[in-house]
Amino acid sequence: MLLKTRFYIPPLRKNIVQREPLLQILNSSEGGQLVVISAPAGYGKTTLISQWLHHSPHTFSWLALDDTQAAPGIFWRYFIIALNQASPGCGEHPLQLLRDNQNEHALENALIALLNELDAINPSSPRDAMTLVLDDFHLVATPELSGQFNSFLNHLPPSLRIVITSRSAPDLALARRRASNQLVEIDQHQLRFSAEDSNRFLQQTMSLQIDNNQSQLYFRETEGWIAGLQLIGLSLQKADTTPAPAVENHQTESNSTLPGLSAPSLQRNIADYLLDEVFSQQSLDIQHFLLLSAAVPRFTAGLCNALTGRNDSLSVISHLDRHNLFLLPLDNHGVWFRYHDLFRRFLLQHFNGLDADFRQQGQTTAAQWFELNGYLQEALEQRLQLRDWDKAEALLLQLLAGDDEINTLLPGWLEHFPHEHPVHQHIPQTPGRTLSPQAFDTLLTSREQQVLELVSQGHSNKEIARQLHISLNTLKVHIRNLYGKIGVENRTEALHKLLSQDDRSP
């Protein structure tokens, strides 16, 4: 027996935020195309499609999925009946073939018959094609079913448009469909609320008495994550809180200045949501990776390999990206990443619950990796968290020697040191870029000293990278830091500096 409520389109709430740019994308889709809306939990995927269907009337059917429909026989039965509800009579013969348990090719024959029936339907225009929405497709996307569905899409006729919502990118040959113009995509970056959307959502949909500047603070805190904004709104409604006046300087706002964000009930609600909807649905292996990689503000595959002791972090990061686990790229090359800030806070809560020695080892590993690879600011911040004051001071002096502009960050770093630590006595009154002869060995990292020695021997960058077993890009980071510390701009100046150092040595 089939559950009828699976075919009900979700109702729209009052004063919903109109997503006009996204509605235009959906309106431009046609029959024969696959529309994929892929994003993490709480980004409004289902609401967007419901809004589109309510405001752009045409023939459609809705099918809400869960893991009980992952078996091919059950899925395709629901699929065909959904089409039959949108177009009475459609799929009756394929449904009979599907029920033929005596034929080992029953499913194949049913799908062929269904495609033939759909091909015989002639919509008045491509955009008037029938739409079938498959909500939460990730819950049924087993390899077997994905393979069958992929074959079905390969022959999708112009009478049918299929819309999928999913928390992960479906394995449906998306690259090929994109190249053949069979694919329409909307991702989390498009789904996230803009500042204006956030303002309308909080003021109109959630009926909160807040001004525009205050809503901007909530927008920045959530990064446009709709579920986060809703949880904030519910917290404010429940507490009947009157927000404080907006602050003019928005650069350094903390949770304490945001009414509702510091409420324990809100923190629990966000943590419960992320635990139930995201974290608990991952394998133990992925959970472990998430916790360890969240120990640093940004990460790359090499750093994750060091933190986790594995050698396949690049493939794991790709997995996180495909499954929309609140992962945000920091460059156009897919090298550096970070987590959505609220998700990282959630992960850190669980990371901080781990054994203290284990946590300390992870942070020490991160500090060593950052320093070895030339990311001294990140290494310093890790050492400050570890309260490793001596190594933090050494890194701070290296940074001051290498870049005058680093002085703007100096006060914030010095605040972390305990009052009794003599770091202030060792900070030059006017930090310069030029090192004294005695400073070379103390202010250069061991890797930078190795690089400098090979440079002095006349080796090319390629040869230096080979000898040190590092990439050319990593070597360039070391060379950039090295040149900054010794106050030169290029290799010729560096060699001249070394010669002058030798002349001044006793």
Side-chain angles (χ1 to χ4, degrees), residues 124-415:
S124 56
S125 71
R127 294 189 180 180
D128 291 331
M130 178 169 53
T131 295
L132 174 58
V133 178
L134 302 176
D135 194 27
D136 286 336
F137 186 78
H138 59 278
L139 296 176
V140 300
T142 63
E144 181 182 13
L145 185 54
S146 294
Q148 295 170 355
F149 198 64
N150 213 16
S151 298
F152 184 86
L153 291 173
N154 289 340
H155 305 282
L156 188 64
S159 62
L160 179 63
R161 172 199 295 109
I162 292 182
V163 178
I164 284 175
T165 71
S166 178
R167 292 186 185 178
S168 58
D171 185 15
L172 298 175
L174 299 185
R176 174 165 55 82
R177 302 191 193 286
R178 191 179 298 119
S180 62
N181 197 35
Q182 195 196 7
L183 180 65
V184 176
E185 296 173 281
I186 296 177
D187 61 20
Q188 69 182 81
H189 304 291
Q190 297 165 285
L191 283 165
R192 68 190 292 266
F193 271 171
S194 65
E196 294 75 14
D197 291 335
S198 300
N199 185 47
R200 286 195 294 270
F201 178 78
L202 292 170
Q203 293 183 356
Q204 299 175 19
T205 308
M206 301 298 296
S207 301
L208 295 173
Q209 299 301 312
I210 62 176
D211 62 29
N212 294 349
N213 287 335
Q214 193 70 47
S215 71
Q216 296 298 299
L217 298 179
Y218 293 119
F219 162 69
R220 279 193 288 275
E221 184 70 17
T222 60
E223 301 185 58
W225 180 40
I226 302 172
L229 286 165
Q230 183 170 15
L231 290 171
I232 290 172
L234 292 172
S235 177
L236 291 171
Q237 289 176 345
K238 184 176 181 180
D240 194 22
T241 303
T242 302
V247 182
E248 292 299 327
N249 183 0
H250 300 159
Q251 298 301 314
T252 58
E253 295 303 319
S254 65
N255 284 355
S256 61
T257 66
L258 297 173
L261 276 180
S262 58
S265 60
L266 173 64
Q267 300 302 322
R268 286 195 300 271
N269 288 342
I270 291 178
D272 289 346
Y273 182 92
L274 291 172
L275 179 64
D276 293 342
E277 297 294 331
V278 182
F279 189 75
S280 64
Q281 299 186 24
Q282 310 308 313
S283 67
L284 292 178
D285 187 47
I286 294 299
Q287 289 181 9
H288 184 72
F289 186 95
L290 289 169
L291 293 179
L292 292 180
S293 56
V296 290
R298 65 185 186 118
F299 54 87
T300 189
L303 174 55
C304 289
N305 281 339
L307 288 170
T308 62
R310 59 197 305 158
N311 57 13
D312 63 342
S313 292
L314 183 60
S315 65
V316 178
I317 292 172
S318 297
H319 170 88
L320 301 183
D321 188 33
R322 288 195 308 272
H323 288 78
N324 289 316
L325 287 176
F326 292 89
L327 187 71
L328 301 173
L330 295 177
D331 55 57
N332 294 325
H333 309 291
V335 176
W336 286 96
F337 300 87
R338 71 174 178 88
Y339 293 117
H340 186 289
D341 187 54
L342 291 179
F343 187 52
R344 180 171 181 250
R345 290 187 209 173
F346 162 81
L347 294 174
L348 284 176
Q349 288 179 351
H350 288 264
F351 176 78
N352 291 333
L354 300 176
D355 178 75
D357 291 339
F358 180 79
R359 297 199 314 270
Q360 184 175 22
Q361 180 57 48
Q363 290 181 297
T364 301
T365 299
Q368 292 171 341
W369 188 93
F370 280 129
E371 183 174 358
L372 185 62
N373 287 277
Y375 300 99
L376 300 189
Q377 290 190 42
E378 290 83 352
L380 170 59
E381 289 162 3
Q382 290 295 315
R383 291 298 180 186
L384 290 174
Q385 290 183 32
L386 288 164
R387 300 178 181 271
D388 189 345
W389 308 124
D390 291 338
K391 290 185 178 178
E393 178 185 337
L395 287 165
L396 181 57
L397 293 175
Q398 291 180 49
L399 284 165
L400 290 173
D403 189 352
D404 291 339
E405 295 181 1
I406 212 70
N407 292 320
T408 59
L409 301 174
L410 181 60
W413 286 328
L414 290 177
E415 287 180 359

Side-chain angles (χ1 to χ4, degrees), residues 482-495:
L482 174 62
Y483 285 177
K485 289 178 182 181
I486 65 178
V488 301
E489 299 293 336
N490 53 51
R491 180 181 285 248
T492 301
E493 292 181 9
L495 293 174

